[in-house]
Amino acid sequence: MVSTLTGYTAKGRVRGTAIGAYATWLQRPGHVEVAYLDASVQRGRFDNRVDGVDLPREQYDARVLNTSVEGGYTFNVWQGPHAALYVQPQLQLSHDGPSRRPACGAQWHAHRQRRQQRRQRSPGCTRVWP
């Protein structure tokens, strides 16, 4: 893909793995009107690489830990001879993190007034290209 602002291109690659676990608890297994609780956890590790025009290769690792807990209760609001209607309010809490950023926290900013492309990094590692 070519930037319409600068005309530069970049290619990236991501390789990674993840593993997780999931568990469910039911208040009364086999019954229809029950409370439930679901929990999950997932851990991943990813190797990232970005190659840009006239720029050194940027490589970094990203690690992530996702957790989630969800609970709810099933209510029977209507029962007919051949069908039933149920309502199941739910609440879910999720957390995603931590994650690692590229070396020096690379971020891209385009400055139209100066027609420069600036690669802003953490203090002490900033580069500017005309």
Side-chain angles (χ1 to χ4, degrees):
M1 181 171 216
V2 179
S3 167
T4 57
L5 182 63
T6 65
Y8 290 137
T9 61
K11 292 182 181 179
R13 184 196 78 192
V14 177
R15 291 186 180 165
T17 58
I19 188 167
Y22 182 86
T24 298
W25 171 82
L26 292 173
Q27 180 186 22
R28 295 176 297 171
H31 291 80
V32 178
E33 291 190 30
V34 296
Y36 76 94
L37 188 64
D38 292 336
S40 66
V41 62
Q42 183 182 41
R43 178 120 172 107
R45 181 172 187 261
F46 303 93
D47 297 321
N48 305 276
R49 182 176 78 196
V50 179
D51 295 307
V53 174
D54 297 329
L55 298 173
R57 174 177 282 172
E58 184 81 47
Q59 291 183 304
Y60 59 98
D61 292 336
R63 293 188 175 93
V64 65
L65 176 66
N66 300 323
T67 57
S68 176
V69 176
E70 178 182 309
Y73 191 89
T74 305
F75 295 96
N76 182 327
V77 293
W78 178 79
Q79 182 69 48
H82 303 290
L85 178 63
Y86 296 93
V87 174
Q88 187 180 66
Q90 303 169 340
L91 174 67
Q92 182 179 29
L93 301 173
S94 298
H95 175 72
D96 296 330
S99 181
R100 290 194 179 173
R101 302 182 82 184
C104 292
Q107 296 178 356
W108 294 93
H109 299 281
H111 299 278
R112 292 183 185 168
Q113 298 89 354
R114 297 181 195 160
R115 298 231 180 251
Q116 293 179 347
Q117 185 173 9
R118 181 178 181 189
R119 190 177 198 178
Q120 184 176 348
R121 298 176 175 214
S122 301
C125 44
T126 298
R127 295 182 185 174
V128 178
W129 292 272

